[in-house]
Amino acid sequence: MIKIGLIGKTNAGKTTFFNAATLLKAAVSTYPFTTKRPNIGQAYVKTVCVCKEFGVLDSPRNSSCIDGARFVPLQLIDLPGLIKGSWMGKGLGTQFLSVAAQADALIHIVDASGSIDADGKITKPGMGNPVADVYDIEEELVRWFVKVVEKTFRKLKKHPKKAQSVERGLIEDLAGLKITPDHVKKALDKNSLAEKGLDEWNQNYIWNFARGLREISKPTIIVANKMDLAPAEKNFEKLSKEFGHAFVVPAASDAELALRRAEQKGYVEYVPGEETFRVRSREKLTAEQREALTYVEQRVFSRWIQTGVQFALNTCAFKLLGLNAVYPVEDAERLSDKKGNVLPDVFLVPSNASVGDLATEIHSELAKTMIYAIDARAKIRLPADYRLKDRDVIKIVAATRGKE
């Protein structure tokens, strides 16, 4: 399952974002390091389901379909807040960074209202510096990557005969951090280091490689949180201008959490990521509840169209990681599994994934016995190396089932 890590300073709103996305009640507090250990939950990315295109009523198993919108699960990890020196283990830094390394991508939650100081402590809105906060966290991440790469080079230099190449040594040593051979190759090429021998690497080369590896292996979007507070709009403009190369998403996690809880209790009709919500029976709400929903409407939806939480998750999965949603079925005519469930499952796969990769994702034995696949739309055979496209509906034919 795809893993996305939430990073940021204490009090930036990481845990509120996490709760809004997963509806788990993780502890929220203004005290530093409220998140003592990672909170892990299931969130969802939203994509247009193929059910309406095929004109069928689907019966999802591993996901949900709401009015033609398919919500596909992923793992969301709320990590302890970073402070300066985290890369050396200060605070909860070592724990944070070791878990962050297992993520496929990161969402950097920033307090756009400027309500926290450099140390993550609560201050008057507008007094904090969100742009500086981003750079602080980025420095900690890069320094930790430098530390890891330096450790690898120390190993290589102790056993130079075993190190057939720097590239191979890096690939083998960094594999446990969800860093692929392709990540290593791209970081080397980016800094023209692919041909450098072990003795040629200096500290500057290590820094450049580590920085590139961090960017390539852990792609990141910035979520400008607390956009419902007055100073946030100017800071959002500053963040967008400073980090134009990255995705900066405006969000109001508190508003999303309030709507999700209100929807659970039946007070409102709301689908995550939609641009509106409807109050079911306003007369049944308390004055405080009505006031809260009015605040969400006026301070969030009228200004920013949506709360940004679902949009951030979608951006992370489909823009940063370039994932495609693929629907495997066992009956290409009925679009169902053996039990008759229509479009039962959907898998998020990389943009370069093949039918063979999908078979492996479903079950290792299926990959071993696969003969070919069938495109449920075109009704044509596909080879194992066919590159999957978004919204493909695929039947995998295995040897144990006989040829068709």
Side-chain angles (χ1 to χ4, degrees):
M1 182 179 287
I2 299 299
K3 296 182 180 180
I4 295 178
L6 300 179
I7 64 172
K9 289 189 173 181
T10 303
N11 293 318
K14 293 188 295 84
T15 301
T16 302
F17 184 102
F18 174 85
N19 285 338
T22 65
L23 282 185
L24 295 182
K25 295 181 180 179
V28 179
S29 167
T30 58
Y31 294 103
F33 306 117
T34 300
T35 305
K36 300 294 185 181
R37 57 180 57 86
N39 295 311
I40 300 175
Q42 185 168 283
Y44 296 84
V45 292
K46 179 182 178 183
T47 184
V48 177
C49 186
V50 298
C51 61
K52 290 190 175 181
E53 175 191 344
F54 283 92
V56 296
L57 180 63
D58 55 359
S59 41
R61 294 189 313 174
N62 77 339
S63 49
S64 300
C65 184
I66 304 175
D67 297 330
R70 184 67 76 111
F71 288 85
V72 191
L74 53 77
Q75 190 175 89
L76 192 63
I77 310 170
D78 175 24
L79 300 157
L82 280 180
I83 58 173
K84 286 184 178 295
S86 292
W87 67 278
M88 294 185 294
K90 187 176 179 181
L92 299 172
T94 301
Q95 179 184 350
F96 163 88
L97 293 164
S98 63
V99 177
Q102 301 306 315
D104 296 288
L106 301 173
I107 295 179
H108 187 166
I109 308 293
V110 182
D111 183 349
S113 71
S115 299
I116 60 173
D117 63 18
D119 296 319
K121 297 178 181 178
I122 297 294
T123 188
K124 183 180 178 181
M127 297 298 290
N129 187 339
V131 172
D133 290 343
V134 174
Y135 279 119
D136 285 346
I137 300 301
E138 183 62 26
E139 182 181 359
E140 294 303 317
L141 283 170
V142 173
R143 282 184 176 275
W144 185 77
F145 267 80
V146 168
K147 184 179 178 181
V148 171
V149 174
E150 286 176 337
K151 183 179 179 181
T152 297
F153 269 88
R154 286 196 295 271
K155 289 182 181 179
L156 294 177
K157 289 179 179 180
K158 283 183 179 180
H159 306 284
K161 291 183 179 180
K162 292 184 180 180
Q164 297 180 16
S165 73
V166 173
E167 180 178 315
R168 178 173 295 182
L170 288 166
I171 289 172
E172 292 178 354
D173 210 47
L174 300 175
L177 304 179
K178 253 192 173 180
I179 293 174
T180 68
D182 188 53
H183 292 153
V184 173
K185 291 176 182 178
K186 285 182 178 179
L188 289 170
D189 290 340
K190 181 178 181 179
N191 294 283
S192 302
L193 295 170
E195 302 302 321
K196 297 291 182 183
L198 183 61
D199 295 332
E200 296 180 85
W201 280 69
N202 56 34
Q203 195 63 28
N204 187 51
Y205 289 158
I206 289 176
W207 266 87
N208 291 339
F209 171 74
R211 188 181 298 278
L213 188 64
R214 174 266 176 279
E215 294 174 354
I216 293 167
S217 67
K218 309 298 173 188
T220 305
I221 64 167
I222 297 169
V223 167
N225 197 28
K226 305 182 186 179
M227 290 302 300
D228 53 312
L229 301 182
E233 192 164 348
K234 289 184 178 179
N235 283 328
F236 173 69
E237 293 175 1
K238 292 178 181 177
L239 287 165
S240 299
K241 183 177 181 180
E242 186 72 16
F243 304 104
H245 62 283
F247 295 99
V248 181
V249 177
S253 301
D254 277 328
E256 176 73 10
L257 182 57
L259 284 175
R260 295 289 297 275
R261 287 177 173 167
E263 192 275 333
Q264 276 194 328
K265 293 178 180 178
Y267 297 154
V268 302
E269 291 180 3
Y270 174 65
V271 178
E274 292 296 300
E275 299 176 2
T276 185
F277 65 91
R278 188 180 73 84
V279 179
R280 288 178 181 271
S281 300
R282 185 170 290 273
E283 64 277 4
K284 294 183 179 180
L285 301 177
T286 66
E288 184 178 4
Q289 289 170 335
R290 288 196 295 270
E291 184 178 348
L293 290 174
T294 298
Y295 179 90
V296 170
E297 177 64 43
Q298 295 178 349
R299 299 289 296 183
V300 179
F301 280 82
S302 64
R303 292 190 179 191
W304 305 104
I305 303 177
Q306 54 185 323
T307 70
V309 173
Q310 188 64 57
F311 184 75
L313 292 170
N314 291 350
T315 299
C316 200
F318 300 122
K319 297 295 184 180
L320 275 191
L321 294 175
L323 300 176
N324 289 327
V326 179
Y327 301 75
V329 297
E330 296 191 60
D331 188 324
E333 296 296 330
R334 298 178 180 176
L335 308 178
S336 66
D337 61 13
K338 288 181 178 179
K339 296 181 178 180
N341 296 306
V342 177
L343 297 172
D345 299 321
V346 57
F347 286 79
L348 297 175
V349 300
S351 58
N352 62 348
S354 66
V355 170
D357 295 327
L358 176 62
T360 301
E361 184 77 12
I362 296 172
H363 198 288
S364 58
E365 288 303 315
L366 180 60
K368 293 176 184 178
T369 58
M370 173 188 171
I371 305 174
Y372 60 89
I374 296 175
D375 183 325
R377 284 189 180 84
K379 301 297 189 292
I380 59 174
R381 290 192 179 192
L382 303 172
D385 61 356
Y386 166 78
R387 297 298 173 183
L388 295 164
K389 299 179 178 59
D390 190 45
R391 297 169 60 78
D392 269 348
V393 182
I394 302 291
K395 169 184 171 61
I396 296 176
V397 180
T400 53
R401 300 173 185 170
K403 296 184 179 180
E404 297 187 5

